[in-house]
Amino acid sequence: MTYEDSEIAKVWSTILSTDKYRLMIGDIADNYPMKKSVKVDYDDINVQDVAFAAYLLEAPDRCMEIAKKAVMDLVPNIDRPGQSINVRVFNLPRDAKVEIRNLRADHLGKLVAVEGLVRKVTTVKPRLTYALFRCARCNSEIWVEQTGMFLKEPLMCNNPDGSCNKQATRFIEDLQASSWIDTQKVEIQERPEGLRGGSQPERLTGYVEDDIAGLVTAGNSVTLNGILRSAEKSERDKSTVFDIYLDVVSVDFEQHEYDEILITEEDEREIIAMSKDPNLYQNIIKSIAPSIFGMDEQKKAIALQLFGGCHKTMDDGTNLRGDIHILLIGDPGVAKSQILRYMSYLAPRGIYASGKSASAAGLTAAAVRDDFGDGRWTLEAGALVLADKGLACIDELDKMTDQDRSSLHEAMEAQRISVAKAGINATLQCRCSMLAAANPKYGRFDEDTSIYDQIELPAPLVSRFDLIEILTDKPNKKHDEQLSSHILKTQMRGEARMAPEGKEVEGLDIEKLMDDTSFLKPVYSIEKLRKYVAYSKRIVPILTPEAMKIMQDSYVGIRGLGGGKSVPITARQLEGYVRLSEASARMRLSDKVTDQDANNAAELIEGYLNKIAGNGDGTYDIDKISSGISSKDRNKLDIIRSIMNEFGDTGLKLEEIAQHASNQGLSDSEVERAVKTLHDGGELFKSPSGIYKRA
Ligand code: ADP
Ligand code: MG
């Protein structure tokens, strides 16, 4: 169906004369150029004329042109060349939604809605639309529309009576009085949950102009409504293959993080029934990466992370993070990467990235100058920003860049990243939980050294994790037998699944084999678990006095273990207790945090502290985590310091220091480590001949 121009104009004028749009246009007439867009809800067009609404998607350029004219007719005072009012249609219907990977030649010139995460934005720059020139002889004004890359000048003076009506005159440009609009280039990428089977996200460039430029920033989850256009790859080689880009008409921001997950009434009934199952916690743990054997402790922690604690805004505006951060440190080949990949798939908004990622933005964000910006600065979002309101799975965290190292603290605690560079001044949100994996310092845990000493991450960073899980891989006959049997059965079940249905193999009972390995099937399907998690986020449980008592006792108890000298645990860990217990309550869809939830949290925290900060005698020393130096080590440092105070002016060789220190019970390797710490800290100098002196 096609429409005459007059018919199109008629539909628009009916829509625009309704109260809603009359008021809007009146407001624009009064406040131009502060306000310069009529925002038309697609639903209103649809209500007015269904067939026309469909036609608008097919022939947007023509329809919008006429709409613009209709609006301009209503505001006669806006008439200078280049001054105009935009018509921005938003809230496009489902059938206008196209995934980036499905954009085809058919969509060129059509109005489409493309969802994605904003990965890159350039700085906003003005573009000249109409340039004003004055004739050097008669001073008459000449407006020239600017379309290309280079400034177009008038060819001749247009004053009909002037003596200058010939080409000999000169023109003086008046850029200040010319018409400009703001422009910005953005790049969106497909949402992670749209991706199946680990494929790479596809990207699309969009041009955002005028009053909507600068509205979106990296990490936003948006729907760009716009007209798909083609652009030639380069000016030089005229080719028939074109790049596509979106000429953005309007931007819809996503309202709720779990909107993508639709929960029907039937789902709701099922979810509530699930929540009453006494085996809920176990069932959820069994639904997390069933093909990975064991790791119950880790899966428990990850299950709680999935539900998360509650984000809180206090009376004074302070924000308290609800997201739980977990660090897995372990020997190679213990399925760290595998569980991260699984979780990035399972969790809504899950992103998997490696610490040594090649992108300029790295894990957080960066301002870069690259091809994308055509010489402009570009703000690029890294993994944590893209995982906003989701789960960031960061593998090989120990291999991250120095830039990430310095920006990660802010990202994890305050959940935002500030970028201030080259005119870009942005604060990006990264309200995500982080599940990170790292290898120990020398690639594999060494039993003789304390676990803490083998974490090759800055102490302030480590202390921001709510839980740190240690995974060691020591030969153990029973465990090895179970693990190998599990892995082999996984493979066998996989083979049987791939076989054509009803296939029979002599000597093998395939049906029985599937039955025997049914433990590899998640108790709750991924789909179901996702819905359950999404539903649980509606609940904000509140601490009960019993739960508070348990957490307080555990906290105060552990603080006491430091013996008054070292501080075994800090308030940061106390917040961790709260987050974990809230997650545990949420998992049951309970609006109260009970003693059971507090115990779940205490068990996990005491368990990890024992492994990582235990002094081997039942006492903990969290100072190892927050400063990197345990109280025992601190004593060692003091011993070396006093030796150096005595001999520091003449200087001592390492062996000599060791000799002095051995009287006080320090071994050679302990001395070596302590001297190195002091040297690294700038307290000691080392001469080229190996003599240490006080700094
Ligand atoms: P990491 O990242 O810890 O070095 P990977 O995740 O790459 O290790 O795991 C190596 C391989 O070992 C994977 O293919 C995984 O299937 C197997 N594997 C290791 N531990 C387990 C386990 N507990 N259960 C099942 N498979 C395992
Ligand atoms: Mg790995």
Side-chain angles (χ1 to χ4, degrees), residues 448-449 636 654 658 666-677:
D448 299 333
T449 324
K636 288 176 206 157
L654 187 59
L666 262 58
S667 73
D668 285 2
S669 68
E670 284 171 327
V671 171
E672 196 175 325
R673 248 204 324 273
V675 167
K676 184 172 181 309
T677 308

Side-chain angles (χ1 to χ4, degrees), residues 290-295 330-341 395-396 437 439 471 479 483 486-487 490-491:
S291 66
I292 296 177
F293 171 77
M295 290 176 76
D331 290 330
V334 292
K336 295 186 299 297
S337 299
Q338 189 165 338
I339 202 152
L340 256 59
R341 255 189 238 105
D395 209 350
E396 323 238 348
N439 283 109
L471 292 152
H479 178 266
L483 173 64
H486 185 99
I487 294 180
T490 307
Q491 299 284 345

Side-chain angles (χ1 to χ4, degrees), residues 40-54:
V40 183
D41 190 335
Y42 186 87
D43 280 347
D44 293 335
I45 307 174
N46 215 10
V47 166
Q48 189 59 45
D49 187 335
V50 181
F52 174 73

Side-chain angles (χ1 to χ4, degrees), residues 21 94 103 107 186 189 241 309 366 391 437 464 549 563 615 655:
Y21 295 105
R94 279 202 169 272
L103 286 169
H107 296 112
V186 304
Q189 78 174 35
V241 181
L391 177 69
R464 277 170 172 80
K549 175 95 176 49
N615 287 329
E655 303 86 81

Side-chain angles (χ1 to χ4, degrees), residues 472-542:
T472 49
D473 180 25
K474 278 182 239 156
N476 170 321
K477 188 149 182 280
K478 185 156 161 268
H479 178 266
D480 291 348
E481 272 170 10
Q482 286 174 331
L483 173 64
S484 50
S485 145
H486 185 99
I487 294 180
L488 294 171
K489 278 184 183 159
T490 307
Q491 299 284 345
M492 177 178 73
R493 185 180 170 88
E495 288 155 0
R497 276 173 63 88
M498 299 322 281
E501 206 171 332
K503 181 170 163 79
E504 299 202 0
V505 181
E506 207 193 304
L508 282 181
D509 183 346
I510 294 191
E511 205 167 309
K512 177 160 182 303
L513 186 157
M514 290 299 275
D515 267 357
D516 287 350
T517 55
S518 62
F519 61 89
L520 287 166
K521 218 166 76 181
V523 181
Y524 304 134
S525 70
I526 287 185
E527 223 51 52
K528 207 185 258 182
L529 192 52
R530 270 198 202 126
K531 281 189 182 173
Y532 191 89
V533 171
Y535 186 87
S536 80
K537 302 273 175 178
R538 300 177 186 176
I539 288 156
V540 181
I542 298 176

Side-chain angles (χ1 to χ4, degrees), residues 255-521:
Q255 306 294 328
H256 303 290
E257 49 262 50
Y258 288 99
D259 264 4
E260 308 96 76
I261 298 176
L262 189 75
I263 297 170
T264 62
E265 268 175 39
E266 196 194 321
D267 290 333
E268 189 170 349
R269 271 197 295 280
E270 201 175 337
I271 285 168
I272 290 171
M274 263 164 86
S275 75
K276 303 232 160 77
D277 189 332
N279 292 326
L280 177 77
Y281 199 7
Q282 279 310 315
N283 286 351
I284 290 178
I285 293 167
K286 278 190 203 144
S287 306
I288 291 178
S291 66
I292 296 177
F293 171 77
M295 290 176 76
D296 283 352
E297 201 69 12
Q298 288 74 25
K299 287 183 183 178
K300 252 186 208 169
I302 290 171
L304 291 181
Q305 180 183 42
L306 202 53
F307 289 88
C310 310
H311 171 91
K312 304 165 194 98
T313 306
M314 300 310 293
D315 309 71
D316 61 356
T318 334
N319 281 305
L320 299 179
R321 134 168 96 95
D323 296 306
I324 295 169
H325 299 317
I326 297 177
L327 175 62
L328 308 174
I329 303 187
D331 290 330
V334 292
K336 295 186 299 297
S337 299
Q338 189 165 338
I339 202 152
L340 256 59
R341 255 189 238 105
Y342 189 90
M343 290 311 296
S344 72
Y345 171 60
L346 172 64
R349 296 270 175 98
I351 295 258
Y352 175 89
S354 170
K356 54 177 180 199
S357 87
S359 110
L363 297 178
T364 54
V368 289
R369 199 166 205 160
D370 60 5
D371 293 349
F372 181 74
D374 304 319
R376 296 191 212 180
W377 284 88
T378 305
L379 179 61
E380 186 176 335
L384 263 66
V385 175
L386 292 175
D388 187 29
K389 298 184 188 167
L391 177 69
C393 300
I394 309 296
D395 209 350
E396 323 238 348
L397 185 69
D398 45 334
K399 314 267 187 322
M400 72 190 157
T401 63
D402 290 342
Q403 178 209 332
D404 282 333
R405 236 169 243 266
S406 58
S407 52
L408 217 51
H409 298 172
E410 191 194 4
M412 289 178 71
E413 199 58 54
Q415 304 206 287
R416 47 163 204 264
I417 295 159
S418 319
V419 180
K421 186 175 169 191
I424 289 184
N425 222 321
T427 304
L428 303 178
Q429 306 263 36
C430 55
R431 295 154 293 181
C432 59
S433 329
M434 183 164 158
L435 176 59
N439 283 109
K441 200 176 235 163
Y442 307 108
R444 177 171 272 285
F445 278 117
D446 167 9
E447 277 183 62
D448 299 333
T449 324
S450 87
I451 293 224
Y452 184 76
D453 289 337
Q454 303 184 55
I455 300 178
E456 206 180 14
L457 289 169
L461 190 62
V462 174
S463 76
R464 277 170 172 80
F465 285 97
D466 295 277
L467 289 174
I468 300 165
E469 295 290 338
I470 307 294
L471 292 152
T472 49
D473 180 25
K474 278 182 239 156
N476 170 321
K477 188 149 182 280
K478 185 156 161 268
H479 178 266
D480 291 348
E481 272 170 10
Q482 286 174 331
L483 173 64
S484 50
S485 145
H486 185 99
I487 294 180
L488 294 171
K489 278 184 183 159
T490 307
Q491 299 284 345
M492 177 178 73
R493 185 180 170 88
E495 288 155 0
R497 276 173 63 88
M498 299 322 281
E501 206 171 332
K503 181 170 163 79
E504 299 202 0
V505 181
E506 207 193 304
L508 282 181
D509 183 346
I510 294 191
E511 205 167 309
K512 177 160 182 303
L513 186 157
M514 290 299 275
D515 267 357
D516 287 350
T517 55
S518 62
F519 61 89
L520 287 166
K521 218 166 76 181

Side-chain angles (χ1 to χ4, degrees), residues 92-93 96-99 111-115 223-226 246 252:
L92 295 190
K97 288 202 161 71
V98 188
E99 281 184 35
L111 185 57
V112 289
V114 188
E115 288 181 334
T223 301
L224 297 182
N225 305 309
L246 198 69
D252 287 325

